[in-house]
Amino acid sequence: MQFFIDTADVGEIRDLAATGLVDGITTNPSLVAKTGRPFLEVVQEICEIVPGPVSAEVTATDHPTMLAEGRKLAGLAPNVCVKVPLTPDGLKTCKALTDEGTQVNVTLCFSAAQAILAAKAGATYVSPFVGRLDDIGAVGMDLIGDIVEIYAAYPEIRTQVLVASVRGPQHVIEAAKLGADVATVPPAVLRAMFKHPLTDKGLDGFLADWAKTGQTILSDEDGHGEPARRSA
Ligand code: G3P
């Protein structure tokens, strides 16, 4: 499973990219607005930090303008993935951009019928919003299961399922169990995935017992933080 981080906050992206666990970034107009910064500048900066796909969303709703915006966004960096909403004009734009070799993430997907159309339009990714379905009493993960099942029936479908609107680690676990290709997670969710009280307790115990030995692994002769030297 690939992990994308769902944010336009460059500081968060730098911090989490350092873990080596970040495969890409997704943004949307709301996340960009939160930064208070110029959109195009933020996208370029993110593309320099993370080599993987960086989703940047068009804001027009008519095909001609969406296409022009998409081409401009794609021109910002080779790893820009243009995001379009799942509307007739959005899928028209998706088809035109993918035909030009641009990666497209079709977003705001809330049904299997929509996901079938996104695949038909040649989307690189489809983004079903599981959290927002849960918010209205539906079961977002049921949609992921349906899409994964449908896509698996057609080997010619290359569209990847990018689980979005993720509210916690459980969404990531369930998405992985279903075989989704990507989960895009808010920074807080990725950080939460590291945490378990028994890990903290166990590490504290190991270190307390180690301290009693009075030993250290590194001595003054060792280079601190150098890669291990293999004996010949
Ligand atoms: O990428 C889509 C995601 O940002 C939406 O999340 O929490 O606003 O439903 P949310």
Side-chain angles (χ1 to χ4, degrees):
M1 171 179 257
Q2 292 206 315
F3 284 155
F4 291 4
I5 304 298
D6 194 38
T7 185
D9 182 317
V10 172
E12 289 276 32
I13 292 170
R14 286 191 196 282
D15 185 44
L16 291 171
T19 66
L21 300 177
V22 175
D23 300 303
I25 300 294
T26 53
T27 71
N28 61 45
S30 301
L31 292 172
V32 171
K34 270 170 72 175
T35 70
R37 293 183 57 194
F39 177 32
L40 303 182
E41 181 184 295
V42 169
V43 171
Q44 280 183 307
E45 191 171 341
I46 294 173
C47 287
E48 288 163 10
I49 300 167
V50 177
V54 175
S55 288
E57 190 162 341
V58 300
T59 55
T61 54
D62 65 293
H63 168 59
T65 315
M66 290 168 113
L67 185 56
E69 288 182 347
R71 285 170 172 159
K72 181 164 185 178
L73 293 174
L76 294 176
N79 54 325
V80 165
C81 177
V82 176
K83 223 180 190 184
V84 297
L86 214 154
T87 63
D89 280 69
L91 293 190
K92 206 169 167 184
T93 304
C94 172
K95 181 125 187 42
L97 288 171
T98 47
D99 287 349
E100 294 173 0
T102 297
Q103 287 195 336
V104 178
N105 178 359
V106 173
T107 190
L108 288 169
C109 174
F110 293 96
S111 74
Q114 287 181 318
I116 292 168
L117 295 177
K120 192 77 183 161
T124 311
Y125 302 101
V126 65
S127 291
F129 279 29
V130 295
R132 294 193 189 185
L133 284 167
D134 292 352
D135 292 346
I136 62 165
V139 180
M141 277 302 152
D142 286 350
L143 173 58
I144 302 303
D146 290 346
I147 298 171
V148 169
E149 180 186 347
I150 292 166
Y151 282 14
Y154 296 91
E156 68 272 23
I157 288 180
R158 316 294 293 164
T159 302
Q160 297 182 59
V161 181
L162 194 168
V163 180
S165 187
V166 166
R167 296 285 201 278
Q170 194 56 37
H171 271 159
V172 180
I173 293 164
E174 289 170 24
K177 283 182 177 178
L178 290 167
D181 301 286
V182 188
T184 191
V185 300
V189 171
L190 184 61
R191 293 198 172 94
M193 289 178 71
F194 284 100
K195 302 298 284 177
H196 194 290
L198 290 181
T199 302
D200 297 340
K201 186 178 177 209
L203 184 56
D204 288 345
F206 288 160
L207 297 180
D209 292 341
W210 176 251
K212 291 171 192 161
T213 71
Q215 298 178 58
T216 61
I217 294 174
L218 295 178
S219 59
D220 293 345
E221 294 78 53
D222 296 310
H224 283 229
E226 299 297 315
R229 285 191 298 277
R230 297 279 180 269
S231 53

